[in-house]
């Protein structure tokens, strides 16, 4: 099951604002079980502010178990974190999560999205936006805006997907 769960805060629409965070990695590439501190920092920041948060690490959970949880949870926002070595796998996860939760805002963070190719990577992955740098503040600001029924596009720390380059 999820590493963390917390429910407190209600949105302006009267339902609990739900955030699903997932650290995507493969046992074929991940050689150790180091805790994904970045996504855990984001989770703790959101939990302290009253959001209902679920955190998963794909190294420890089967794809079916995570997708079943996602389907049952139906989050308002989904945040992914990954390393460059997991880029292709991350794209597969994002496509599957979009099918299960088509209305959720999908964002990502991590070193790859904070690099010079972050905007192109966000576009290729199909993210609504990326987070560059430390994600706790940006994720909290975006989720607060969503919870309050406000737009998030000008929140600090957001990286927008680049438009496709002409071929």
């Amino acid at each position: 099951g999820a590493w963390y769960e917390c429910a407190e805060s209600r949105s302006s629409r009267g339902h609990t604002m739900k955030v699903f965070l997932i650290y995507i990695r493969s046992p074929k590439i991940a050689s150790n079980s180091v805790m994904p501190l970045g996504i855990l920092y984001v989770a703790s920041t959101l939990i302290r502010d009253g959001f209902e948060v679920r955190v998963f690490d794909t190294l420890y959970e089967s794809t079916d178990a995570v997708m079943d949880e996602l389907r049952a949870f139906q989050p308002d926002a989904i945040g992914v974190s990954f390393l460059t070595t997991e880029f292709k796998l991350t794209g597969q996860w994002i496509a599957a999560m979009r099918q299960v939760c088509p209305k959720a805002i999908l964002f990502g963070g991590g070193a790859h999205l904070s690099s010079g190719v972050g905007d192109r990577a966000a576009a290729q992955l199909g993210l609504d936006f990326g987070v560059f740098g430390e994600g706790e503040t940006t994720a909290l600001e975006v989720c607060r805006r969503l919870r309050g029924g406000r737009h998030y596009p000008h929140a600090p720390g957001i990286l927008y997907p680049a438009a496709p380059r002409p071929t």
Side-chain angles (χ1 to χ4, degrees):
W3 283 352
Y4 296 102
E5 296 182 36
C6 176
E8 294 291 327
S9 185
R10 302 242 174 237
S11 75
S12 63
R13 294 190 261 331
H15 78 281
T16 301
M17 175 79 185
K18 298 177 182 179
V19 183
F20 192 91
L21 300 174
I22 182 167
Y23 187 59
I24 298 172
R25 54 186 175 161
S26 165
K28 294 176 185 174
I29 296 174
S31 60
N32 60 39
S33 59
V34 174
M35 298 296 281
L37 293 179
I39 205 163
L40 293 175
Y41 287 143
V42 171
S44 67
T45 301
L46 294 173
I47 289 168
R48 272 193 312 260
D49 206 62
F51 292 91
E52 183 176 355
V53 177
R54 303 268 169 90
V55 181
F56 284 87
D57 182 337
T58 63
L59 186 61
Y60 301 107
E61 300 287 341
S62 73
T63 303
D64 289 343
V66 175
M67 296 310 283
D68 287 347
E69 182 66 28
L70 183 66
R71 192 173 289 105
F73 189 54
Q74 287 298 307
D76 301 289
I78 301 170
V80 300
S81 182
F82 64 97
L83 298 173
T84 301
T85 54
E86 307 291 0
F87 188 82
K88 184 176 179 182
L89 179 63
T90 299
Q92 294 166 354
W93 271 97
I94 289 171
M97 290 187 290
R98 279 262 186 235
Q99 287 188 328
V100 172
C101 297
K103 294 180 182 178
I105 300 294
L106 219 150
F107 65 96
H112 195 84
L113 290 172
S114 293
S115 73
V117 298
D119 58 342
R120 292 192 306 273
Q124 190 173 351
L125 291 170
L127 296 171
D128 292 310
F129 65 90
V131 174
F132 63 88
E134 303 302 320
E136 305 90 277
T137 303
T138 301
L140 179 60
E141 180 61 25
V142 167
C143 288
R144 280 178 173 170
R145 290 179 187 204
L146 288 170
R147 178 176 61 193
R150 300 185 325 266
H151 293 289
Y152 64 85
H154 300 294
I158 287 182
L159 171 78
Y160 288 100
R165 292 182 181 199
T167 55

